[in-house]
Amino acid sequence: MTTARRGVRHKGCFHHSHGAALAALVRSGRDTESEDFVHPGQYELPTETDVYELLLGLALTSLAFHSALALPWEDLVNAQCAGLLVQNCDIVVPEGVTVELERSADAASVTVRGSLVWDTTAAVTLYTGYLVAEGPTGYVQIGTSESPAKDSGIYLRDNGRQHQVLGKRSFGSYGKGARFVVYGEKLRKTWVLLSEPARTGDSRLTLDDDAAALGWRVGDRIAVAPTTSYPKFGGDSSAEVFTLTGIAGNTVHLDGTINQPKAGFPSKRVQAEVINLSRTVAIRGDPFDSAGHGLHVVAHSGGEGIVNYARVERGGQLGVAGKYPLHFHLAGSCPNCQFVGNAIENSSQRGIIVHGSHRTLVSENVLYDVKGSGIYIEDTNEMENKITYNVVICPQKAKCKQPGTDNDQADDIQQSGLWALSVSNDFVGNRLVNHYNGFFTQTSAFPHGRGEARGRVCTVYAPFGKMSGNVCHSNERFGFYLDNNFPRSLKRSVETNGLLSVEDFQAHIDGNPNTLSSCDAFTASGTDNGVTAVVEDQLEIGNVFSGQYALGDVQFLRWHAINNLHGLYWKETKAMANPAVTAHVKDSTFEWINDDDHRELWNILGSPGNGVAHIAGPGGLGAFIIQNTVFRGHTTDAVAANQHCGLSGTGALCTPEYQLIDVDFSGMNGASRHIRFGISDGNTVLPIFSTYDRSLEGHVSIASGAQTHLLGLPNNACQKLDSHSFDNGIACSVPLRRLQIWSSTGNQAGGAVLYAPGGQSWGMEFIGPPPNNHMKQGYGAAVAPGHRYTVELDRDEGITIEFSDPVYGTKFNADETIELELLFRSQPDKNRLCQISSQHSRSFITSSGPLVDGLGACTAQQEPEPEPQPEPEPEPEPEPEPEPEPEPEPEPEPEPEPEPEPEPEPEPEPEPEPEPEPEPEPEPEPEPEPEPEPEPEPEPEPEPEPEPEPEPEPEPVEGLHCYGRTPQEVEIELACDANQGPPNSDSGEGYYAIDTRCLSTSLVGCIGQTGCRHCHTEPETWSGHSVYPQCPSCVCDKWEVDDPGACMANSTYGENTPSEDQQSSSPEPEPEPEPEPEPEPEPEPVEGLHCYGTTPQEVEIELACDANQGPPNSRSGEGYYAIDTRCLSTSLVGCIGQTGCRHCHTEPETWSGHSVYPQCPSCVCDKWGVDDPGACMVDNIV
């Protein structure tokens, strides 16, 4: 006797005469209640009520004590298929009836509204077009956990039958109450690891467990994963499939030999997976049709499903949404939904899909040769599912891409072993091997979700479930790839179907900072809304990248990277919201194994001799903490800061503080840098590395060599290093912290100038914005706590100031402060002096900038600074030494610096000082008196003569040149040579020269504010283009570059202006007043786009434009440019940085396109010989 879920069939209680009566009923053609369900067999079925009533009437006595009717499959077929071949008969199991399948059978289709149960004592397969359990009572059972099916299953034919909802070749459940269960014999493990390497020619494998004890059998098919790294691609990184011919403990014998060696080194944690592809239950079907359509299995719209320890092959219907090998579709909360221990092979469209479902279990499955994403979490609202211990292997590296699905990102462009749009699930112990990406949470591609969840979720800000023990190896691009995630406390739950309320979502996207959403970075009170997550025990081997772009409130605990070109890749972050979790990387290991360390493993991996960087780290925001972490082996850099920072808004003003706690660099190769300032073209000026222990070999802090103002700190606290390990930075015996000034109005006129304690002035590094966020831009510098600094800006508009980070007080008990004086050149009445603590408020300041202006420290109101009350301003008053705070206002901006007494003298600012001396000269300019005045001056000429000599020092030759002509330039020249490596003669990159304009202005190629500027050699044979200016001839002389045209003919590039000054001053003293009126128009150049320089400044801009911009494209109208001095201080569409050069577009009447750039003035067409009607504006100035 076999027990079924909805009834018990007793042999002998249902007679063949009953079947005849049923058949007669079918033949009679009685009307049915279910008029909308007409079967393709060209007859109408009796309704369930008809069948049920007849069965009751025929067997009322014998079945009266049973809760439901039961009958053999043959009786149901006899009743419903009279006169038809069974393969053409559409079977319906009526509600309340249980049918037992005791032997293999055929049907055109099977719809189950009662129960259909496999006899587990026999080998039984049902051949049909579809098998669907419909709610509310439909149930299909193929084995149980206690009595699994053996050599049984379903074969889905391509016979033209289509279920009205699930479609063709489908097996599943539809609607609430519907359910299917499939149980094959359980394997204790569906996959194991090699405990010894499998070498080429081997015909046996040594596993890390006893194969027979796991339930593996002779005759089982297995696949062995590759273990490779960059640059092994495609067929050079292949899995291999075998049949087991013998098992002896943990040794298995194969029907063939190993072609490519596979790693099995437990002590090194590099071991190939061996997966078992055989099961006692199979869900199979006809081969794929010409469209790539096979079978699919789904629990649909509230239906439940369990498939455990089955084999699913030839699944997926390419290009048809919802048709996959195993699929939970809009199941809602479904703790009874399970896909466990299955083997999925040869799929045309994904593997296992969780869509709009919660609390399901997907565990211990092995997926092989699955096109598209292996495991796919679809819409973002999925929550509390458990995705655990699955292995997904692509047979050849990155050859599982599948175009033509409804998500090309997941299946083709960014094909991944595990693709999850929702991180609010548990991902534990999964292994993703040989794909394009291993494990990708592609949140930024669908920030508001997909499908039915779209517009009710904020993907990037979803909180994490548990992420632990996942392994990604041998993938072509990323292994573990979190993309963009800042988990926050969202107002949603499984009970809300993982969706936000309409009001909550609208408040997130309405652009109004006064309406707050649970997706936002802060609560209404200004508290950080982040929810800290931990990614633990992640193992990354042989991928090109592992990590993410932007990630906050996530810690990597016990992260282990082996021979990843980039061990951890990260562009932007933030301080942890949870004060109990402060480190971003903790208890982790980064290593690069080469032939010196382990030759056989290195050869199997196929790695190059060294990696790029163990950590290519973020550019802020704020403190980035690495704790108790080891770096070993051959990589160019151990920890490199500012990955891509500053490029198109990447990073967070690029002023990170890398705080190292018990970091061990001792295992690094001697040629490697322990730290690096800037990587992948990221900003090289602003990162800071600090420690309270020996992580930096006795140094407390190290900043970039470009931050020369640090060299003036008292007591020689900072010294320039000649150390490749520390990137030739400036090492300090005191802590260094970030000073950031967000500037929503862009780079202010004249920039931001920092006056340091030692009297040095330094133009603060400006970081520009991304295209869509003007709040994310501003200035940065490293400063030493406990000192006084002055920052000079143009206006007190759109600025937000941050100093250090609260973590230094909360974790390190260092409540650090600086005294900051703010001076505003155009608004001296706004000048103020503030005491700023590292504990100042960060409310509403994100890594993308402040939400509104006027936040942070040292605001005009001064309320946040002194915690007691808004009275910090009186504090500077008792300090008469630096002169009363408001008093500096009347003093001209150049020198409220008298406070840092020595500052004005050594700086370029002395230029204004000589001006006040000759002030009497400009005043009497209109009068003839200036002539006699110079006469008395010549009398003391012996003394003034030496004075005019130093004057050129603060006015060095403008433009690129090679050899220092003043003490200041000599120092710049020496620093350039010391800090810049040898150039690359092949590419023309890495050349440099002196340009003192870089000391105070941001020009293309300026290396911070060092006065050193990159230039490019461009021989006539070179067809490329560089954004850097072409080098002057002296650079070619210096580096012995003799390629024709490589350098400009002039030895000084951009010197025309000074030479004109020299010519004008060479006559008599009288011409001196003549040039003075000339500079007056310089500060007021012609507003708008124009072509020819009308002032020395514009001439220089014009020359730079011509030198740096390639010839335009006359066909597309692109690449044209003109002078626009507004670009020097304002960000306009088309401005090429702050060079004063601006792109414009020619738009002839025949052109139907549109450009975001302004139309060129007529002088541009004249200059380039463009004669197309209407191509340029009629006016010469736009």
Side-chain angles (χ1 to χ4, degrees), residues 21 107 157-158 232 287 451 479 545 626 644 937 941 1011 1013 1038:
R157 287 188 167 132
D158 186 12
K232 285 192 175 181
F545 303 98
I626 304 173
H644 280 167
E937 287 178 3
E941 276 177 9
R1013 185 178 180 190
K1038 179 174 183 176

Side-chain angles (χ1 to χ4, degrees), residues 564-577:
N564 267 30
L565 277 187
H566 303 76
L568 183 58
Y569 184 93
W570 201 336
K571 295 188 179 183
E572 184 174 316
T573 189
K574 65 180 284 287
M576 298 290 184

Side-chain angles (χ1 to χ4, degrees), residues 651-686:
L653 292 201
C654 308
T655 315
E657 301 148 320
Y658 278 60
Q659 188 68 34
L660 308 182
I661 306 172
D662 296 325
V663 170
D664 182 1
F665 295 113
S666 63
M668 291 297 298
N669 175 264
S672 301
R673 278 179 290 228
H674 296 177
I675 63 172
R676 179 179 176 183
F677 302 98
I679 183 172
S680 301
D681 296 324
N683 179 273
T684 60
V685 175
L686 293 174

Side-chain angles (χ1 to χ4, degrees), residues 86 247 445 496 650 666 799 815 845 923 973 1059 1068 1102 1126:
V86 289
I247 297 175
T496 67
T650 301
S666 63
I799 64 171
D815 182 358
I845 302 174
E923 290 176 4
E973 179 188 352
S1059 61
E1068 300 176 0
E1102 180 186 354
R1126 293 173 296 181

